[in-house]
Amino acid sequence: MTQIHITMSGSPGAEFSAHWRITHEGETTEHVEESGTVPAEYTFTGTELEGTVKLLSDDERLEVDIQKGSNRSRSSTHGAGGTLMLMIS
């Protein structure tokens, strides 16, 4: 089993929405977070992850770190409406 670990950091209390699509053994499941706050962490089991994360807070910073085995993806955005499209496989 492959674990995909996501860490949301940045401005404490910053609000975000996230939509994750996780593929594992040919099956795709979705996890939707309508209104999360920094800091937050998620762990999924899968071979591939696609995600869309939108920062909802003004003048705040959001950093997203995704790790799967030795693969790592880091992205950040600043200001309300900033949207990140993420993928790791």
Side-chain angles (χ1 to χ4, degrees):
M1 278 193 214
T2 303
Q3 297 290 310
I4 301 172
H5 188 73
I6 303 165
T7 303
M8 314 285 277
S9 59
S11 304
E15 294 184 10
F16 64 88
S17 65
H19 183 174
W20 306 108
R21 288 170 299 286
I22 305 99
T23 303
H24 182 63
E25 296 179 352
E27 300 276 328
T28 300
T29 57
E30 297 190 22
H31 175 82
V32 177
E33 181 72 46
E34 295 288 341
S35 183
T37 55
V38 170
E41 291 189 32
Y42 305 94
T43 300
F44 300 110
T45 299
T47 53
E48 185 176 297
L49 176 132
E50 293 180 43
T52 303
V53 180
K54 184 174 182 179
L55 182 57
L56 304 175
S57 301
D58 286 328
D59 298 322
E60 303 279 6
R61 181 171 178 79
L62 177 65
E63 298 171 7
V64 181
D65 184 285
I66 303 173
Q67 185 164 358
K68 176 189 162 206
S70 61
N71 294 336
R72 175 172 246 155
S73 172
R74 291 183 180 174
S75 301
S76 65
T77 189
H78 184 271
T83 303
L84 301 172
M85 305 292 285
L86 308 157
M87 180 182 210
I88 196 164
S89 58

